Amino acid sequence: MGDCLFCRIIAGEIPSNKVYENDKVFAFRDINPQAPVHVLIVPKKHMDNILACDADTAAALTDAVRAIAEQEGVEQSGFRVVSNCGKDGAQSVNHLHVHLMGGRALAERMA
Ligand code: AMP
């Protein structure tokens, strides 16, 4: 586990506002939300970023996106899914995560 922030959140060592969990993924509210709904969806197995994501994990993340969008009530209005990767992608936590953002009309520009 080392000092990975998201591994420590998954383990319950650091508190989080959990919204969803199953055997493969853990999801919690972003501490600095950029939209009314801003959830981070994280595989329980540590991998640095999307370049290391296997098919099983990708499927689990996709299933979680669908479930959380329904749970948060944004599946009809729409939402955005983003995974930042590396330095130019502005990834700040090196544990693969997907941002699910919605709850209002989002900006068209993403960068
Ligand atoms: P990224 O910049 O794509 O790596 O996203 C990392 C996200 O983690 C940022 O949006 C942060 O606001 C969020 N974050 C950092 N620390 C925490 C924390 N303790 N609990 C919840 N979200 C966090």
Side-chain angles (χ1 to χ4, degrees), residues 5-6 28-32 40 84 90-93 97 99:
L5 173 63
F6 287 174
F28 51 99
R29 299 198 189 282
D30 196 293
I31 203 168
N32 184 24
L40 300 174
N84 296 328
Q91 182 179 6
S92 63
V93 178
H97 53 283
H99 298 254

Side-chain angles (χ1 to χ4, degrees), residues 35 37 69 72-81 100-106:
V37 173
E72 295 291 317
V74 297
E75 84 280 15
Q76 295 295 328
S77 52
F79 55 92
R80 178 170 294 154
V81 172
L100 189 161
M101 291 171 284
R104 64 167 165 77
L106 301 175

Side-chain angles (χ1 to χ4, degrees), residues 11-100:
E13 294 179 9
I14 294 174
S16 69
N17 194 341
K18 183 174 88 169
V19 299
Y20 180 88
E21 180 176 15
N22 64 26
D23 59 326
K24 300 227 171 80
V25 305
F26 189 90
F28 51 99
R29 299 198 189 282
D30 196 293
I31 203 168
N32 184 24
Q34 297 185 34
V37 173
H38 189 166
V39 175
L40 300 174
I41 309 170
V42 177
K44 287 187 171 177
K45 183 168 71 172
H46 181 98
M47 51 195 81
D48 283 351
N49 57 44
I50 200 161
L51 296 173
C53 187
D54 54 84
D56 189 46
T57 302
L61 290 170
T62 304
D63 287 346
V65 165
R66 190 178 304 109
I68 294 165
E70 290 175 4
Q71 188 177 301
E72 295 291 317
V74 297
E75 84 280 15
Q76 295 295 328
S77 52
F79 55 92
R80 178 170 294 154
V81 172
V82 173
S83 188
N84 296 328
C85 182
K87 182 170 68 68
D88 282 1
Q91 182 179 6
S92 63
V93 178
N94 289 322
H95 181 134
L96 173 61
H97 53 283
V98 168
H99 298 254
L100 189 161

